[in-house]
Amino acid sequence: MGEEVDTAFVQAPEHRPKSSVIVAEGIPLIDLSPINYQNEDTLLDSSIENLVKEIGSACKKWGFFQVINHKVPLDKRERIEEAAKKFFALGLEEKLKVRRDAVNVLGYFEAEHTKNVRDWKEIYDFNVQEPTFIPPSDEPDDEENVQFQWDNRWPQNPPEFKEACQEYAQEVEKLAYKLMELVALSLGLVPNRFRGYFTHNTSNIRLNHYPACPYPHLALGLGRHKDTGVLTVLAQDDTGGLEVRRKSDGEWIRVKPIFNSFIINVGDMIQVWSNDAYESVEHRVMVNSEKDRFSIPFFLKPALYTDVKPLEELLDDRNPPIYRPVNWGAIKVDGVDFEQLNLLLKVPSSYMFPL
Protein backbone atom coordinates (compact mmCIF):
# COMPACT_ATOMS: atom_id res chain seq x y z
CA MET A 1 0.00 0.00 0.00
CA GLY A 2 2.90 2.33 -0.67
CA GLU A 3 6.07 3.48 1.09
CA GLU A 4 4.47 6.50 2.76
CA VAL A 5 1.12 6.37 4.46
CA ASP A 6 -1.72 7.82 2.40
CA THR A 7 -3.47 10.54 4.40
CA ALA A 8 -6.79 8.83 3.58
CA PHE A 9 -5.84 6.14 6.13
CA VAL A 10 -4.78 8.47 8.95
CA GLN A 11 -7.11 8.55 11.95
CA ALA A 12 -7.78 11.77 13.85
CA PRO A 13 -5.49 11.97 16.91
CA GLU A 14 -8.29 11.19 19.39
CA HIS A 15 -9.14 7.96 17.56
CA ARG A 16 -5.63 6.58 17.03
CA PRO A 17 -4.60 3.38 18.81
CA LYS A 18 -2.89 3.68 22.18
CA SER A 19 0.57 2.21 22.67
CA SER A 20 -0.70 0.12 25.58
CA VAL A 21 -3.29 -2.62 25.10
CA ILE A 22 -5.92 -3.71 27.62
CA VAL A 23 -6.70 -7.39 27.03
CA ALA A 24 -10.26 -8.32 27.84
CA GLU A 25 -10.65 -10.54 30.85
CA GLY A 26 -14.27 -9.65 31.40
CA ILE A 27 -15.88 -10.39 28.04
CA PRO A 28 -18.02 -13.46 28.82
CA LEU A 29 -17.04 -16.85 27.44
CA ILE A 30 -20.20 -18.92 27.10
CA ASP A 31 -20.35 -22.70 26.63
CA LEU A 32 -23.26 -23.66 24.37
CA SER A 33 -23.09 -27.39 25.19
CA PRO A 34 -26.47 -27.39 27.00
CA ILE A 35 -28.37 -26.72 23.76
CA ASN A 36 -26.37 -28.94 21.43
CA TYR A 37 -28.58 -31.98 21.90
CA GLN A 38 -31.93 -30.32 22.44
CA ASN A 39 -34.65 -29.40 20.02
CA GLU A 40 -36.82 -26.28 20.19
CA ASP A 41 -39.46 -28.06 22.26
CA THR A 42 -37.01 -28.52 25.14
CA LEU A 43 -35.40 -25.10 25.08
CA LEU A 44 -37.40 -24.07 28.12
CA ASP A 45 -36.01 -26.92 30.26
CA SER A 46 -34.36 -25.94 33.50
CA SER A 47 -31.08 -27.34 32.15
CA ILE A 48 -30.57 -24.21 30.05
CA GLU A 49 -31.84 -21.64 32.54
CA ASN A 50 -28.30 -20.70 33.52
CA LEU A 51 -27.27 -20.45 29.87
CA VAL A 52 -30.16 -18.07 29.16
CA LYS A 53 -29.15 -15.95 32.15
CA GLU A 54 -25.53 -15.86 30.92
CA ILE A 55 -26.66 -14.68 27.48
CA GLY A 56 -28.90 -11.99 28.95
CA SER A 57 -26.20 -10.73 31.30
CA ALA A 58 -23.62 -10.60 28.49
CA CYS A 59 -25.98 -8.71 26.17
CA LYS A 60 -26.85 -6.21 28.88
CA LYS A 61 -23.40 -5.58 30.38
CA TRP A 62 -21.17 -5.93 27.32
CA GLY A 63 -23.15 -6.28 24.10
CA PHE A 64 -20.39 -8.80 23.24
CA PHE A 65 -19.56 -12.37 24.23
CA GLN A 66 -17.66 -15.40 22.93
CA VAL A 67 -19.11 -18.88 22.44
CA ILE A 68 -17.53 -22.34 22.43
CA ASN A 69 -19.03 -25.79 21.74
CA HIS A 70 -21.23 -24.19 19.09
CA LYS A 71 -21.47 -27.17 16.69
CA VAL A 72 -20.17 -25.31 13.62
CA PRO A 73 -17.87 -27.95 12.10
CA LEU A 74 -14.23 -26.90 12.36
CA ASP A 75 -13.43 -28.30 8.90
CA LYS A 76 -16.05 -26.01 7.31
CA ARG A 77 -14.51 -23.01 9.03
CA GLU A 78 -10.97 -23.99 8.06
CA ARG A 79 -12.05 -24.50 4.46
CA ILE A 80 -13.53 -21.01 4.05
CA GLU A 81 -10.54 -19.48 5.84
CA GLU A 82 -8.18 -21.17 3.41
CA ALA A 83 -10.31 -20.16 0.41
CA ALA A 84 -10.30 -16.54 1.63
CA LYS A 85 -6.50 -16.51 1.93
CA LYS A 86 -6.13 -17.91 -1.59
CA PHE A 87 -8.57 -15.35 -3.01
CA PHE A 88 -6.90 -12.35 -1.37
CA ALA A 89 -3.50 -13.63 -2.53
CA LEU A 90 -4.60 -13.23 -6.17
CA GLY A 91 -3.41 -10.26 -8.19
CA LEU A 92 -5.51 -7.09 -7.98
CA GLU A 93 -6.58 -7.40 -11.63
CA GLU A 94 -8.08 -10.82 -10.93
CA LYS A 95 -9.90 -9.66 -7.80
CA LEU A 96 -11.31 -6.61 -9.57
CA LYS A 97 -13.22 -8.94 -11.91
CA VAL A 98 -15.72 -9.41 -9.07
CA ARG A 99 -15.57 -5.85 -7.68
CA ARG A 100 -18.81 -4.44 -6.31
CA ASP A 101 -20.46 -1.46 -8.00
CA ALA A 102 -23.20 1.09 -7.46
CA VAL A 103 -25.94 -1.37 -8.49
CA ASN A 104 -24.71 -4.56 -6.82
CA VAL A 105 -23.10 -4.10 -3.41
CA LEU A 106 -21.78 -7.67 -3.33
CA GLY A 107 -18.27 -8.78 -4.25
CA TYR A 108 -14.73 -7.50 -3.79
CA PHE A 109 -13.83 -4.02 -2.58
CA GLU A 110 -10.47 -2.51 -1.71
CA ALA A 111 -11.41 1.02 -0.61
CA GLU A 112 -13.74 0.64 2.36
CA HIS A 113 -14.25 3.76 4.51
CA THR A 114 -15.56 4.05 8.07
CA LYS A 115 -16.52 7.54 9.25
CA ASN A 116 -14.84 9.04 6.16
CA VAL A 117 -11.45 7.48 6.95
CA ARG A 118 -10.18 4.64 4.78
CA ASP A 119 -9.81 1.26 6.47
CA TRP A 120 -6.54 -0.68 6.09
CA LYS A 121 -8.14 -3.76 4.55
CA GLU A 122 -9.75 -5.40 1.56
CA ILE A 123 -13.03 -7.31 1.67
CA TYR A 124 -15.30 -9.71 -0.16
CA ASP A 125 -19.08 -9.83 0.54
CA PHE A 126 -21.67 -12.44 -0.35
CA ASN A 127 -25.30 -12.89 0.65
CA VAL A 128 -26.54 -16.04 2.36
CA GLN A 129 -29.78 -16.08 0.35
CA GLU A 130 -29.25 -15.90 -3.39
CA PRO A 131 -30.52 -13.97 -5.21
CA THR A 132 -31.80 -11.11 -3.06
CA PHE A 133 -34.64 -9.17 -4.70
CA ILE A 134 -34.77 -5.40 -4.26
CA PRO A 135 -37.16 -4.21 -2.98
CA PRO A 136 -38.78 -7.40 -1.74
CA SER A 137 -42.38 -7.93 -0.81
CA ASP A 138 -43.81 -10.17 1.87
CA GLU A 139 -45.93 -11.58 -0.97
CA PRO A 140 -43.58 -14.05 -2.72
CA ASP A 141 -45.50 -13.88 -6.04
CA ASP A 142 -45.65 -10.08 -6.14
CA GLU A 143 -43.44 -9.54 -9.19
CA GLU A 144 -44.46 -5.89 -9.62
CA ASN A 145 -42.48 -4.98 -6.50
CA VAL A 146 -39.20 -6.41 -7.82
CA GLN A 147 -37.01 -3.67 -9.31
CA PHE A 148 -33.72 -5.56 -9.51
CA GLN A 149 -31.81 -8.21 -7.64
CA TRP A 150 -28.46 -8.70 -5.98
CA ASP A 151 -26.53 -11.77 -7.11
CA ASN A 152 -23.35 -12.97 -5.51
CA ARG A 153 -20.28 -12.27 -7.64
CA TRP A 154 -18.46 -15.57 -7.34
CA PRO A 155 -14.82 -15.55 -8.51
CA GLN A 156 -13.50 -18.30 -10.76
CA ASN A 157 -10.45 -18.69 -8.54
CA PRO A 158 -9.83 -20.42 -6.29
CA PRO A 159 -12.16 -23.07 -7.79
CA GLU A 160 -13.39 -24.29 -4.39
CA PHE A 161 -14.25 -20.76 -3.23
CA LYS A 162 -18.02 -20.75 -3.89
CA GLU A 163 -18.69 -24.15 -2.34
CA ALA A 164 -16.57 -23.38 0.73
CA CYS A 165 -18.49 -20.14 1.29
CA GLN A 166 -21.93 -21.70 0.84
CA GLU A 167 -21.23 -24.67 3.14
CA TYR A 168 -19.90 -22.43 5.90
CA ALA A 169 -22.83 -20.02 5.53
CA GLN A 170 -25.34 -22.83 6.14
CA GLU A 171 -23.65 -23.83 9.38
CA VAL A 172 -23.10 -20.37 10.87
CA GLU A 173 -26.66 -19.35 9.99
CA LYS A 174 -27.95 -22.26 12.12
CA LEU A 175 -25.84 -20.98 15.02
CA ALA A 176 -27.17 -17.43 14.59
CA TYR A 177 -30.79 -18.62 14.77
CA LYS A 178 -30.07 -20.71 17.87
CA LEU A 179 -28.45 -17.68 19.51
CA MET A 180 -31.53 -15.60 18.67
CA GLU A 181 -33.69 -18.17 20.47
CA LEU A 182 -31.52 -17.75 23.55
CA VAL A 183 -31.69 -13.96 23.24
CA ALA A 184 -35.47 -14.21 22.98
CA LEU A 185 -35.69 -16.37 26.10
CA SER A 186 -33.41 -13.99 27.98
CA LEU A 187 -35.89 -11.20 27.22
CA GLY A 188 -38.81 -13.29 28.46
CA LEU A 189 -40.08 -14.02 24.93
CA VAL A 190 -40.95 -17.31 23.21
CA PRO A 191 -37.87 -18.93 21.60
CA ASN A 192 -38.94 -18.43 17.98
CA ARG A 193 -40.14 -14.83 18.46
CA PHE A 194 -37.67 -13.45 15.90
CA ARG A 195 -37.68 -16.18 13.25
CA GLY A 196 -40.41 -14.62 11.10
CA TYR A 197 -38.20 -11.63 10.37
CA PHE A 198 -35.67 -13.78 8.48
CA THR A 199 -37.83 -15.64 5.95
CA HIS A 200 -36.44 -13.41 3.17
CA ASN A 201 -33.37 -12.35 5.08
CA THR A 202 -30.58 -10.09 3.80
CA SER A 203 -27.90 -11.75 5.93
CA ASN A 204 -24.40 -11.63 4.49
CA ILE A 205 -20.89 -12.86 5.17
CA ARG A 206 -17.81 -10.69 4.77
CA LEU A 207 -14.29 -11.98 4.23
CA ASN A 208 -11.79 -9.48 5.67
CA HIS A 209 -8.08 -9.25 4.90
CA TYR A 210 -6.04 -6.79 6.95
CA PRO A 211 -2.53 -6.61 5.43
CA ALA A 212 0.43 -5.94 7.69
CA CYS A 213 0.65 -2.17 8.18
CA PRO A 214 3.85 -0.18 8.83
CA TYR A 215 1.84 2.62 10.44
CA PRO A 216 -0.10 0.92 13.29
CA HIS A 217 0.01 4.14 15.30
CA LEU A 218 -1.87 6.08 12.61
CA ALA A 219 -4.23 3.72 10.81
CA LEU A 220 -6.98 1.29 11.77
CA GLY A 221 -7.97 -1.94 10.04
CA LEU A 222 -11.57 -0.96 10.70
CA GLY A 223 -12.63 2.29 12.34
CA ARG A 224 -14.94 2.55 15.32
CA HIS A 225 -18.53 1.65 14.50
CA LYS A 226 -21.63 -0.27 15.57
CA ASP A 227 -23.27 -3.02 13.51
CA THR A 228 -26.61 -1.96 12.06
CA GLY A 229 -27.98 -5.50 11.70
CA VAL A 230 -29.41 -7.92 14.25
CA LEU A 231 -26.53 -10.12 15.42
CA THR A 232 -22.93 -10.63 14.28
CA VAL A 233 -21.10 -13.97 14.50
CA LEU A 234 -17.37 -13.39 13.99
CA ALA A 235 -14.61 -15.88 13.29
CA GLN A 236 -11.19 -14.27 13.80
CA ASP A 237 -7.75 -15.80 13.35
CA ASP A 238 -5.06 -15.99 16.03
CA THR A 239 -3.50 -12.65 15.05
CA GLY A 240 -6.16 -10.75 16.97
CA GLY A 241 -6.88 -7.05 16.79
CA LEU A 242 -10.59 -6.68 17.58
CA GLU A 243 -11.26 -4.09 20.26
CA VAL A 244 -14.56 -3.40 22.05
CA ARG A 245 -15.50 -0.19 23.84
CA ARG A 246 -16.31 -1.26 27.39
CA LYS A 247 -19.69 0.12 28.48
CA SER A 248 -18.66 0.64 32.09
CA ASP A 249 -15.85 3.13 31.43
CA GLY A 250 -15.49 3.67 27.66
CA GLU A 251 -12.05 2.01 27.52
CA TRP A 252 -11.05 0.08 24.40
CA ILE A 253 -10.59 -3.62 25.30
CA ARG A 254 -8.73 -6.14 23.09
CA VAL A 255 -10.61 -9.40 22.55
CA LYS A 256 -8.18 -12.28 22.93
CA PRO A 257 -8.55 -14.96 20.22
CA ILE A 258 -9.73 -18.34 21.51
CA PHE A 259 -9.32 -21.36 19.22
CA ASN A 260 -12.54 -22.47 17.51
CA SER A 261 -14.67 -19.87 19.25
CA PHE A 262 -16.96 -17.23 17.79
CA ILE A 263 -17.32 -13.65 18.94
CA ILE A 264 -20.96 -12.53 19.12
CA ASN A 265 -22.19 -8.97 19.28
CA VAL A 266 -25.60 -7.33 19.51
CA GLY A 267 -26.61 -5.14 16.56
CA ASP A 268 -28.72 -2.00 16.37
CA MET A 269 -31.86 -3.99 15.46
CA ILE A 270 -31.80 -5.89 18.76
CA GLN A 271 -31.33 -2.57 20.53
CA VAL A 272 -34.55 -1.27 18.95
CA TRP A 273 -36.52 -4.53 19.39
CA SER A 274 -35.50 -4.69 23.07
CA ASN A 275 -36.26 -0.98 23.59
CA ASP A 276 -32.70 -0.41 24.87
CA ALA A 277 -32.65 -3.41 27.23
CA TYR A 278 -29.68 -4.56 25.14
CA GLU A 279 -27.45 -2.05 23.35
CA SER A 280 -25.12 -2.40 20.40
CA VAL A 281 -21.56 -1.44 21.28
CA GLU A 282 -18.79 0.31 19.38
CA HIS A 283 -15.87 -1.81 18.20
CA ARG A 284 -12.86 -1.42 15.91
CA VAL A 285 -9.91 -3.39 14.52
CA MET A 286 -6.23 -2.68 15.10
CA VAL A 287 -3.67 -3.31 12.38
CA ASN A 288 -0.55 -5.40 12.90
CA SER A 289 2.85 -4.20 11.72
CA GLU A 290 4.19 -7.73 11.17
CA LYS A 291 1.34 -10.10 10.36
CA ASP A 292 -1.69 -10.18 8.09
CA ARG A 293 -5.02 -10.72 9.80
CA PHE A 294 -8.10 -12.49 8.45
CA SER A 295 -11.61 -12.53 9.87
CA ILE A 296 -15.06 -13.68 8.74
CA PRO A 297 -18.13 -11.97 10.20
CA PHE A 298 -21.64 -13.28 9.56
CA PHE A 299 -24.23 -10.48 9.78
CA LEU A 300 -27.75 -11.65 10.62
CA LYS A 301 -30.18 -9.23 8.98
CA PRO A 302 -33.97 -9.21 8.50
CA ALA A 303 -36.03 -9.08 5.33
CA LEU A 304 -35.95 -5.70 3.60
CA TYR A 305 -39.68 -5.15 4.12
CA THR A 306 -39.26 -5.44 7.91
CA ASP A 307 -40.37 -2.48 10.01
CA VAL A 308 -38.24 -2.66 13.14
CA LYS A 309 -39.77 -1.29 16.34
CA PRO A 310 -39.82 -2.10 20.06
CA LEU A 311 -41.62 -5.39 20.70
CA GLU A 312 -45.04 -4.96 22.27
CA GLU A 313 -44.45 -7.77 24.79
CA LEU A 314 -41.63 -5.76 26.36
CA LEU A 315 -43.58 -2.51 26.71
CA ASP A 316 -45.80 -1.19 29.48
CA ASP A 317 -46.50 2.06 31.31
CA ARG A 318 -43.10 1.93 33.02
CA ASN A 319 -41.30 1.00 29.80
CA PRO A 320 -42.90 2.96 26.94
CA PRO A 321 -41.49 2.69 23.39
CA ILE A 322 -38.56 5.01 22.78
CA TYR A 323 -38.23 4.35 19.04
CA ARG A 324 -40.55 4.89 16.16
CA PRO A 325 -40.55 2.11 13.52
CA VAL A 326 -37.62 2.10 11.12
CA ASN A 327 -37.77 0.24 7.81
CA TRP A 328 -34.78 -2.03 7.31
CA GLY A 329 -34.99 -1.56 3.54
CA ALA A 330 -34.54 2.20 3.94
CA ILE A 331 -31.30 1.57 5.80
CA LYS A 332 -30.01 -1.26 3.62
CA VAL A 333 -31.00 -0.09 0.13
CA ASP A 334 -30.94 3.68 0.56
CA GLY A 335 -27.66 3.55 2.46
CA VAL A 336 -28.93 5.35 5.54
CA ASP A 337 -26.23 5.39 8.22
CA PHE A 338 -27.60 5.01 11.75
CA GLU A 339 -24.86 7.00 13.40
CA GLN A 340 -24.71 9.78 10.82
CA LEU A 341 -28.41 10.35 11.47
CA ASN A 342 -27.92 9.93 15.23
CA LEU A 343 -30.70 7.40 15.15
CA LEU A 344 -29.50 5.51 18.17
CA LEU A 345 -28.42 8.62 20.03
CA LYS A 346 -32.06 9.56 20.38
CA VAL A 347 -31.89 12.66 18.18
CA PRO A 348 -34.81 13.18 15.79
CA SER A 349 -34.29 12.06 12.20
CA SER A 350 -36.39 11.45 9.15
CA TYR A 351 -36.28 7.67 9.57
CA MET A 352 -36.44 6.83 13.22
CA PHE A 353 -36.43 8.70 16.48
CA PRO A 354 -37.73 8.27 20.01
CA LEU A 355 -41.31 8.99 20.81
Side-chain angles (χ1 to χ4, degrees), residues 11 114 118-121 210 219-223 284-287:
Q11 294 284 330
T114 303
R118 187 170 171 183
D119 299 321
W120 193 275
K121 68 171 181 174
Y210 303 92
L220 289 172
L222 176 58
R284 66 184 186 181
V285 175
M286 301 295 100
V287 288

Side-chain angles (χ1 to χ4, degrees), residues 28 34 40 80 89 92 108 124 149 165 179 183 192 219 237 261 274:
E40 190 172 288
I80 192 175
L92 182 59
Y108 174 75
Y124 175 86
Q149 66 188 51
C165 289
L179 288 168
V183 169
N192 64 354
D237 66 12
S261 69
S274 72

Side-chain angles (χ1 to χ4, degrees), residues 170-228:
Q170 289 179 350
E171 297 295 336
V172 78
E173 186 178 37
K174 293 177 190 175
L175 171 60
Y177 289 145
K178 190 61 66 175
L179 288 168
M180 287 304 297
E181 291 179 6
L182 292 168
V183 169
L185 288 170
S186 75
L187 289 167
L189 305 168
V190 295
N192 64 354
R193 177 63 177 86
F194 296 104
R195 281 303 288 267
Y197 296 120
F198 305 111
T199 303
H200 305 106
N201 69 70
T202 51
S203 302
N204 72 288
I205 287 179
R206 170 166 290 184
L207 310 181
N208 287 315
H209 173 218
Y210 303 92
C213 175
Y215 311 100
H217 58 297
L218 297 175
L220 289 172
L222 176 58
R224 72 196 195 287
H225 69 288
K226 298 179 180 182
D227 291 347
T228 56

Side-chain angles (χ1 to χ4, degrees), residues 29-38 48 51-52 54-55 65-72 175-176 178-179 182 262 264:
L29 178 63
I30 298 177
D31 187 339
L32 295 180
S33 297
I35 64 168
N36 283 347
Y37 305 101
Q38 299 191 17
I48 67 162
L51 177 57
V52 170
E54 283 186 83
I55 293 285
F65 54 95
Q66 294 190 76
V67 295
I68 55 175
N69 294 321
H70 43 68
K71 291 193 74 175
V72 174
L175 171 60
K178 190 61 66 175
L179 288 168
L182 292 168
F262 287 99
I264 314 298

Side-chain angles (χ1 to χ4, degrees), residues 252-273:
W252 286 106
I253 307 297
R254 182 73 56 90
V255 182
K256 184 179 180 179
I258 297 175
F259 177 72
N260 198 23
S261 69
F262 287 99
I263 299 166
I264 314 298
N265 68 275
V266 169
D268 291 337
M269 298 295 98
I270 286 183
Q271 178 164 338
V272 175
W273 277 328

Side-chain angles (χ1 to χ4, degrees), residues 70-255:
H70 43 68
K71 291 193 74 175
V72 174
L74 181 58
D75 63 323
K76 300 287 174 63
R77 174 170 170 170
E78 290 175 336
R79 192 178 183 211
I80 192 175
E81 289 174 340
E82 187 60 29
K85 289 179 181 178
K86 288 181 179 178
F87 172 75
F88 288 123
L90 296 172
L92 182 59
E93 183 178 352
E94 185 71 13
K95 289 182 286 192
L96 289 178
K97 291 179 181 178
V98 290
R99 190 179 194 266
R100 77 184 189 196
D101 55 37
V103 175
N104 189 340
V105 298
L106 302 172
Y108 174 75
F109 198 59
E110 77 293 353
E112 190 83 348
H113 286 66
T114 303
K115 299 191 185 301
N116 300 315
V117 180
R118 187 170 171 183
D119 299 321
W120 193 275
K121 68 171 181 174
E122 56 182 342
I123 65 173
Y124 175 86
D125 286 325
F126 69 94
N127 272 7
V128 175
Q129 286 198 0
E130 185 178 18
T132 304
F133 294 105
I134 312 298
S137 166
D138 49 9
E139 298 295 331
D141 299 326
D142 188 358
E143 297 182 2
E144 293 182 4
N145 265 351
V146 176
Q147 291 183 346
F148 61 91
Q149 66 188 51
W150 288 331
D151 290 287
N152 290 326
R153 299 178 186 272
W154 297 114
Q156 294 299 309
N157 292 303
E160 70 274 16
F161 185 89
K162 178 180 178 179
E163 185 178 43
C165 289
Q166 291 176 328
E167 288 183 352
Y168 176 78
Q170 289 179 350
E171 297 295 336
V172 78
E173 186 178 37
K174 293 177 190 175
L175 171 60
Y177 289 145
K178 190 61 66 175
L179 288 168
M180 287 304 297
E181 291 179 6
L182 292 168
V183 169
L185 288 170
S186 75
L187 289 167
L189 305 168
V190 295
N192 64 354
R193 177 63 177 86
F194 296 104
R195 281 303 288 267
Y197 296 120
F198 305 111
T199 303
H200 305 106
N201 69 70
T202 51
S203 302
N204 72 288
I205 287 179
R206 170 166 290 184
L207 310 181
N208 287 315
H209 173 218
Y210 303 92
C213 175
Y215 311 100
H217 58 297
L218 297 175
L220 289 172
L222 176 58
R224 72 196 195 287
H225 69 288
K226 298 179 180 182
D227 291 347
T228 56
V230 176
L231 196 77
T232 302
V233 181
L234 173 70
Q236 70 165 340
D237 66 12
D238 58 6
T239 300
L242 176 67
E243 292 193 344
V244 177
R245 190 187 287 278
R246 187 163 53 194
K247 289 176 66 174
S248 61
D249 59 8
E251 283 284 354
W252 286 106
I253 307 297
R254 182 73 56 90
V255 182

